[in-house]
């Protein structure tokens, strides 16, 4: 696995989030786009400040996950699912380099 490529992607994302003050829904991961879409639908008719606040919280969570991922790269345990200990599929890491769990565990969380 080319860990350096993931590290670069994580550092870029981190700079993007912290450098712009956060709100960049178009460049968020597909996973987050879906969630933001859902929230926007649910919130339609509500005030937009509420949505902006939610996006901000999402960014803060991603930022924390990025820090954890960088830490795991240093420790040599990057790409291992936090819940089941299996390797996370590279396609998933390419889409969401800061993910903590594999797709199976993620689906379990959602169900
Ligand atoms: Zn797992």
């Amino acid at each position: 696995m080319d860990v350096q490529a993931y590290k670069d992607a994580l550092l870029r994302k981190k700079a993007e989030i912290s450098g712009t003050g956060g709100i960049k829904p178009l460049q968020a991961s597909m996973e987050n786009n879906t969630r933001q879409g859902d929230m926007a639908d649910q919130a339609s008719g509500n005030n937009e400040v509420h949505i902006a606040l939610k996006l901000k919280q999402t960014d803060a969570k991603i930022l924390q996950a990025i820090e954890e991922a960088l830490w795991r790269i240093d420790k040599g345990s990057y790409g291992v699912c936090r819940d089941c200990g299996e390797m996370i599929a590279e396609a998933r890491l390419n889409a969401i380099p800061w993910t903590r769990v594999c797709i199976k565990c993620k689906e379990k969380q959602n169900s």
Side-chain angles (χ1 to χ4, degrees):
M1 184 194 292
D2 186 4
V3 180
Q4 188 60 44
Y6 293 119
K7 191 169 184 175
D8 287 347
L10 287 163
L11 290 172
R12 263 203 310 276
K13 184 71 185 175
K14 186 180 162 185
E16 186 188 298
I17 293 175
S18 43
T20 58
I23 300 168
K24 277 213 166 182
L26 285 178
Q27 287 181 29
S29 71
M30 272 161 56
E31 192 174 61
N32 284 308
N33 278 340
T34 310
R35 210 179 299 141
Q36 282 161 6
D38 287 344
M39 281 190 315
D41 286 342
Q42 286 163 18
S44 60
N46 290 343
N47 62 60
E48 286 180 19
V49 178
H50 183 68
I51 297 170
L53 203 69
K54 285 277 187 193
L55 292 179
K56 202 83 177 162
Q57 284 171 351
T58 304
D59 275 346
K61 272 184 193 164
I62 292 172
L63 212 51
Q64 198 196 357
I66 288 172
E67 293 291 354
E68 285 182 30
L70 289 169
W71 184 82
R72 287 197 302 270
I73 285 174
D74 283 346
K75 296 285 171 190
S77 62
Y78 179 72
V80 177
C81 174
R82 186 194 58 182
D83 287 1
C84 70
E86 298 280 322
M87 289 303 293
I88 300 169
E90 279 196 42
R92 177 163 168 76
L93 289 174
N94 287 335
I96 317 161
W98 55 87
T99 189
R100 297 179 181 97
V101 295
C102 70
I103 189 70
K104 275 187 232 160
C105 293
K106 180 74 193 174
E107 279 169 359
K108 253 185 263 172
Q109 282 177 10
N110 288 341
S111 61

